[in-house]
Amino acid sequence: MQYSKLKISADATSKLRSLRQRTGLTPNLLCRMAIMISLEEGSVRGTPVPDENGSEFNAYTLTGEYGSLFAALLRWREEGPNPKKPISNDELLRMLRIHIARGVGSLSVRVKSPLDLLQLVPHEG
């Protein structure tokens, strides 16, 4: 997945501001969490693409040294284990924006304080 900059929706940007105030985490870290939460929820095929009227992230800020891992997880979730035809780079970027929007929406409902972030981390009994 190749990109230098990625714009997210105005709604996701607004929710990230609120999440930052509640948690103290930076938007890029919140986006990483949002991507993982959304990937766990399933594919975004058929989901409308959000606007691009919000914040812009450069690739390294958004995913850090884990860009390849995020791309692989996104491909695995969206293409499945045996893809007949790989998804194009442009389509993967659209899906990444959708996953960010969906995940940020989920985080904004589930996280009211830094302590709520711990509830998102699985722990052994």
Side-chain angles (χ1 to χ4, degrees), residues 8 14 20 27 34 38 49 60 70 73 75 77-78 84 88 92 114 120 124:
I8 63 171
S14 175
R20 182 179 186 158
S38 182
V49 180
Y60 192 80
F70 280 100
L73 290 170
R75 276 195 180 282
R77 170 53 74 194
E78 296 300 336
K84 292 176 178 62
S88 72
L92 273 178
L120 299 175
E124 296 181 26

Side-chain angles (χ1 to χ4, degrees), residues 39-43 72-80 99:
L39 288 172
E40 192 173 55
E41 290 177 14
S43 176
L73 290 170
L74 180 60
R75 276 195 180 282
W76 182 83
R77 170 53 74 194
E78 296 300 336
E79 292 178 343
H99 277 291

